[in-house]
Amino acid sequence: MAHFMKRHLISFCPTLAPPPSLLPATVTFFYSLSQVTTETMTVIIPSLPHAHLSAPPLPMSILRRLPFHSLTPCHYRPRRRFATLAAVRQDTTVWTPTPISSIETAAESLFHISIDVSSSPDLAASHTLPGQYLQLRLLDVEKPSFLAIASPPSLAASSGAFEFLVKSVAGSTAELLCGLKKGDVVELSQAMGNGFNIDKIDPPEDYPTVLIFATGSGISPIRSLIESGFGADKRSDVRLYYGARNLRRMAYQDRFKEWESSGVKVVPVLSQPDDSWTGESGYVQAAFSRAKQIHSPKGTGAVLCGQRQMTEEVTSILVADGVSSEKILKNF
């Protein structure tokens, strides 16, 4: 066995063979026959002008006696470089340069950003449903950010603008984005995702109750939904439970009256309110549990966006109360 392995080792891993320019030479090889034994040998390679260090492959009678992991030829080792190149080839994202129209403070650590897409009709037309998102890339920054579109699809069609609510996180692309100014150029992908499938909770007379839940910057696609219109004024009970740490961190307060007039009751919930706060406090899911008031689970739909813990707990509460999980809409 060992004698046979010494004869045929070089053919099993040909990349170990030295080039002809180094012949003659003394080469030492080792080969692991198991996890505990190792065969070694030293051979003198003759000085031949066209020496070829290959031999017939190992017969099956020998191969069957070796552990599988010992039989992996060196030229079959994974090639990470090829995997990386394949990933690059699969990136078919179409990037469109677009200028920033405005950047304004929306709340503490939150920024309202408007981007002009009027010169990119295909990009503007890709936004068709509330709840969709896209990728945004900064020049000289390799990693893009995924951002939910806060404006309704109609705004892109009428004004040629995409609006976003962006949370500035230290060390992130979002922080760099929030530090830009009007006229700076960013790159956008087309809008993607299925958004909120409102068809599942239509018509309004069959689903008179719609419960909406959002936390932090998760209010961004919820704004798109409310301002797109989903028949809220034709439903008897539409509530928005919107959670933030305090009023300073709650965006879109200037839109609450408009949302209320469209048929959406806004219920702000503060987890760390000031002493003067008299509204709902704690977490969104706790505030909802205190209120509940689901009169007809079969006629109830829900829309969720925000922290994972909130969405999971609210979903559990709704399902336990008889609301169909198919009627609980998310945009991811």
Side-chain angles (χ1 to χ4, degrees):
M1 169 73 177
H3 175 71
F4 189 90
M5 289 301 299
K6 291 176 181 178
R7 289 180 55 199
H8 298 283
L9 175 61
I10 300 177
S11 68
F12 194 71
C13 194
T15 56
L16 291 176
S21 61
L22 297 181
L23 302 177
T26 299
V27 184
T28 300
F29 297 96
F30 68 91
Y31 187 79
S32 176
L33 300 179
S34 68
Q35 293 181 348
V36 295
T37 64
T38 302
E39 287 282 334
T40 63
M41 72 173 181
T42 301
V43 297
I44 304 298
I45 303 174
S47 179
L48 297 176
H50 301 290
H52 182 65
L53 302 179
S54 64
L58 296 174
M60 290 303 298
S61 61
I62 299 298
L63 294 177
R64 291 192 187 100
R65 298 170 58 185
L66 296 176
F68 179 78
H69 64 80
S70 299
L71 300 177
T72 304
C74 56
H75 56 276
Y76 285 150
R77 291 171 185 167
R79 302 292 182 90
R80 292 185 180 179
R81 178 169 59 89
F82 294 147
T84 302
L85 291 175
V88 171
R89 292 191 189 101
Q90 293 175 2
D91 183 8
T92 57
T93 304
V94 177
W95 296 99
T96 304
T98 52
I100 293 176
S101 301
S102 64
I103 297 182
E104 301 172 353
T105 301
E108 188 175 292
S109 76
L110 292 172
F111 292 83
H112 176 79
I113 298 178
S114 179
I115 297 179
D116 183 3
V117 296
S118 59
S119 298
S120 307
D122 290 343
L123 175 60
S126 69
H127 186 205
T128 58
L129 296 168
Q132 286 183 301
Y133 55 90
L134 50 68
Q135 295 184 77
L136 182 146
R137 189 169 67 178
L138 303 182
L139 301 179
D140 300 325
V141 178
E142 181 179 356
K143 187 176 181 180
S145 287
F146 285 85
L147 298 176
I149 304 174
S151 51
S154 59
L155 186 66
S158 62
S159 303
F162 282 167
E163 294 181 348
F164 305 89
L165 181 67
V166 181
K167 181 177 181 179
S168 179
V169 179
S172 69
T173 301
E175 181 186 35
L176 297 175
L177 171 62
C178 295
L180 298 180
K181 59 184 183 299
K182 179 179 179 180
D184 286 340
V185 174
V186 298
E187 293 181 316
L188 302 181
S189 73
Q190 294 209 337
M192 59 187 75
N194 297 324
F196 298 118
N197 189 358
I198 297 300
D199 290 343
K200 289 187 175 182
I201 54 175
D202 266 342
E205 53 268 24
D206 291 345
Y207 299 93
T209 300
V210 176
L211 304 169
I212 308 172
F213 301 86
T215 54
S217 58
I219 193 64
S220 178
I222 297 300
R223 174 203 156 192
S224 181
L225 171 67
I226 294 174
E227 297 182 5
S228 293
F230 61 100
D233 57 341
K234 299 177 182 178
R235 306 177 195 261
S236 59
D237 182 16
V238 179
R239 283 173 270 163
L240 165 61
Y241 289 88
Y242 176 19
R245 181 177 300 178
N246 50 52
L247 286 177
R248 295 186 301 276
R249 288 178 174 256
M250 182 167 280
Y252 296 146
Q253 294 180 52
D254 57 332
R255 296 178 177 271
F256 288 177
K257 287 185 178 181
E258 178 184 343
W259 294 354
E260 295 253 3
S261 65
S262 70
V264 179
K265 180 182 179 182
V266 181
V267 183
V269 184
L270 305 182
S271 60
Q272 297 179 19
D274 297 334
D275 294 338
S276 60
W277 177 249
T278 58
E280 292 286 346
S281 59
Y283 293 118
V284 163
Q285 52 270 41
F288 172 64
S289 293
R290 290 192 294 267
K292 285 261 185 102
Q293 298 175 353
I294 299 179
H295 302 295
S296 173
K298 290 185 178 180
T300 298
V303 183
L304 283 66
C305 190
Q307 296 172 341
R308 180 175 179 178
Q309 180 181 351
M310 180 275 288
T311 60
E312 290 178 348
E313 292 185 12
V314 168
T315 298
S316 297
I317 295 170
L318 293 171
V319 171
D321 285 345
V323 178
S324 171
S325 60
E326 295 183 355
K327 309 302 178 183
I328 302 175
L329 311 183
K330 302 172 186 177
N331 68 328
F332 56 88

